[in-house]
Amino acid sequence: MLVRDELNLIIPRWKQVSIETEAFQWSKLSTTFRFTAGTETTVHYHALKQLGEPFRHWMSDLNIHYVQMGLPSFDEYGKITPKQWGEFVK
């Protein structure tokens, strides 16, 4: 999934995602879809807003299925580093 592969786990809120990460997400998305001329600004705003929803669900799933169970997530999510996991658990 696009969000899971490129975002840092310790970002507490979607609105705190860096401009570079937003730009990367947008570039990945815009290579997949074509937009009507003149709609790019509006589509860009709504697309990034929509990416926040799966990000929040992912964070919630990690909390419920791993943190609350006392399990590490390294087997399923290999890109999560032990340092990131420790910050997330805090």
Side-chain angles (χ1 to χ4, degrees):
M1 175 177 232
L2 185 68
V3 172
R4 291 181 187 181
D5 289 343
E6 305 302 336
L7 290 178
N8 189 330
L9 180 66
I10 59 175
I11 298 169
R13 289 178 189 73
W14 179 251
K15 290 183 180 183
Q16 294 175 337
V17 169
S18 71
I19 292 170
E20 293 83 12
T21 300
E22 280 189 13
F24 178 79
Q25 298 293 333
W26 176 248
S27 71
K28 295 276 268 188
L29 189 65
S30 61
T31 59
T32 306
F33 297 98
R34 286 191 195 181
F35 307 106
T36 305
T39 64
E40 187 171 317
T41 302
T42 303
V43 172
H44 182 219
Y45 169 79
H46 288 289
L48 290 176
K49 188 175 174 182
Q50 288 300 105
L51 286 173
E53 186 176 332
F55 178 73
R56 287 187 300 275
H57 284 290
W58 177 54
M59 300 287 270
S60 178
D61 286 347
L62 286 174
N63 180 37
I64 292 168
H65 299 292
Y66 295 94
V67 176
Q68 292 182 19
M69 300 292 182
L71 301 171
S73 64
F74 307 119
D75 291 337
E76 190 167 340
Y77 299 101
K79 291 186 177 185
I80 297 174
T81 66
K83 181 180 178 184
Q84 289 174 328
W85 185 248
E87 288 291 317
F88 180 73
V89 171
K90 277 198 248 179

